[in-house]
Amino acid sequence: MRGLVIKNTGSWYTVKTEEGKMIDCKIKGNFRLKGIRSTNPVAVGDHVVITPNQEGTAFITEIEDRSNYIIRKSPNLSKQSHILAANIDQAFLIVTTNYPETSTTFIDRFLASAEAYRIPVTLVFNKHDLLDEDELRYQHAVMRLYESINYQCVEIQASAEHDNDYSVEKLKPLLAGKVTLLSGNSGVGKSTIINALLPHVNLRTAEISDAHNTGMHTTTFSEMLELPMGGYLIDTPGIKGFGTFDIEREELTSYFREIFKFSKDCRFSNCTHTHEPGCAVRKAVEEHYIAESRYNSYLSMLEDKEENKYREAF
């Protein structure tokens, strides 16, 4: 039987068969050994082949080829990756300018990873109602920055009524008929957004911790939720950091759109945009054609690669 993995709870996977039946499945023992350096060889969004057994459960015996997937470093095992989801049409990164603050470094790391896996991203700025004038001005400046490099930005208030200009209603046309990964730091309001889009799901939400202005984890596993307008929303655990994986230093330039554009004019084709003479990227940063925050994010990801070069030798 063929099916779609819609939930992962650690050792068990919920698979929705082509007939619409939900079956709890486990991985066939030897399956883990096929050189997949991942903490979860099967991911939400995978199309799989299953073999039912007498107990009413089944074994996953085959994963069909993925069109794409998005991974991050496993939080506790630096050598392994953790696949967040597979076969995704797009990702929505939920961002909050405050309560808690999403750093531009986090946004840029997520965008670079999504570029690497060819997944289009929309930045959804939530909690519009909590911001004062200065914070709103800053938020609009950040939105303009990302719109200038062709990322779609949307401003919402997840708790707003349907007829409010900032309600989640404005997300529905963007979600219709697509498989969308929902991601973001803990506390940015992912669960509130899902509850507003799918009231029957009733996900737990948690208060923001005042002491640290950070969110609490309320989702522990990835899950695909079917949307009434067609398509699925993939709810993922809140991410504190985004350690990118499998991105080579030489490739990194091409995952920052505007850096890639200017890099074609560098004197050296293997320019790292850090110290070389005739670097068009550093000139563009000086002349404000490339935002300093984006360039700093690029440098911080380059440093990751430097650290890994020494770490991975052991």
Side-chain angles (χ1 to χ4, degrees):
M1 293 170 84
R2 290 180 73 245
L4 173 68
V5 178
I6 60 164
K7 191 172 187 177
N8 152 21
T9 56
S11 53
W12 286 94
Y13 298 89
T14 305
V15 172
K16 182 183 180 184
T17 67
E18 289 177 322
E19 294 75 45
K21 198 174 159 197
M22 304 293 180
I23 299 181
D24 287 331
C25 301
K26 279 204 148 163
I27 297 173
K28 198 99 170 110
N30 63 358
F31 201 66
R32 296 180 175 278
L33 308 172
K34 291 191 183 165
I36 304 173
R37 279 180 47 193
S38 160
T39 54
N40 58 330
V42 175
V44 164
D46 268 330
H47 296 283
V48 292
V49 177
I50 61 171
T51 307
N53 56 34
Q54 272 99 25
E55 287 88 60
T57 59
F59 282 117
I60 294 172
T61 53
E62 193 184 322
I63 304 178
E64 296 183 5
D65 287 345
R66 296 168 171 149
S67 60
N68 62 22
Y69 54 87
I70 191 159
I71 62 180
R72 65 180 178 121
K73 271 185 193 152
S74 171
N76 29 17
L77 299 158
S78 62
K79 285 252 195 312
Q80 287 197 298
S81 60
H82 178 78
I83 304 170
L84 288 174
N87 304 313
I88 306 155
D89 295 320
Q90 60 180 357
F92 276 21
L93 182 64
I94 313 302
V95 172
T96 43
T97 304
N98 204 345
Y99 319 109
E101 181 188 350
T102 305
S103 72
T104 52
T105 311
F106 178 83
I107 296 173
D108 295 335
R109 281 170 177 260
F110 187 90
L111 292 176
S113 297
E115 290 279 335
Y117 301 114
R118 293 185 295 284
I119 296 165
V121 179
T122 294
L123 298 177
V124 179
F125 289 78
N126 190 21
K127 306 193 184 182
H128 175 272
D129 53 317
L130 299 182
L131 305 180
D132 64 27
E133 266 181 54
D134 284 345
E135 289 166 338
L136 267 179
R137 207 171 291 123
Y138 170 71
Q139 175 157 299
H140 292 151
V142 173
M143 288 171 71
R144 276 197 302 278
L145 157 61
Y146 288 105
E147 284 167 346
S148 74
I149 43 178
N150 294 323
Y151 285 107
Q152 183 172 10
C153 295
V154 185
E155 214 172 3
I156 65 160
Q157 175 195 334
S159 57
E161 296 297 320
H162 279 8
D163 53 358
N164 185 307
D165 285 350
Y166 295 101
S167 89
V168 296
E169 291 298 305
K170 63 180 1 181
L171 299 180
K172 288 183 176 177
L174 308 176
L175 294 167
K178 293 189 171 171
V179 175
T180 305
L181 175 83
L182 207 58
S183 196
N185 290 136
S186 303
V188 292
K190 291 190 302 297
S191 299
T192 310
I193 291 169
I194 292 168
N195 286 337
L197 289 166
L198 298 164
H200 63 281
V201 171
N202 204 10
L203 293 180
R204 275 189 321 125
T205 57
E207 295 302 313
I208 299 296
S209 140
D210 287 339
H212 305 291
N213 193 16
T214 57
M216 316 295 282
H217 290 290
T218 47
T219 304
T220 48
F221 297 109
S222 298
E223 179 174 7
M224 286 184 91
L225 304 164
E226 202 161 350
L227 291 165
M229 71 282 305
Y232 286 91
L233 210 50
I234 301 181
D235 184 24
T236 56
I239 306 169
K240 282 201 161 59
F242 205 89
T244 47
F245 200 82
D246 282 353
I247 294 180
E248 296 304 321
R249 287 195 65 171
E250 300 69 40
E251 298 170 1
L252 189 57
T253 300
S254 55
Y255 303 141
F256 282 77
R257 295 173 176 181
E258 69 283 42
I259 291 177
F260 183 61
K261 189 176 105 183
F262 283 99
S263 71
K264 293 170 184 167
D265 298 326
C266 289
R267 186 184 303 170
F268 301 109
S269 61
N270 61 348
C271 186
T272 62
H273 322 303
T274 53
H275 61 278
E276 296 87 346
C279 172
V281 169
R282 292 209 335 277
K283 184 167 181 273
V285 175
E286 281 163 24
E287 294 174 355
H288 307 297
Y289 290 112
I290 293 174
E292 213 161 305
S293 62
R294 291 275 293 166
Y295 180 63
N296 289 338
S297 296
Y298 165 78
L299 292 180
S300 87
M301 288 182 77
L302 263 190
E303 271 167 38
D304 280 1
K305 295 294 125 195
E306 280 296 306
E307 279 169 37
N308 281 353
K309 194 168 77 179
Y310 303 114
R311 256 220 314 269
E312 282 163 10
F314 298 105

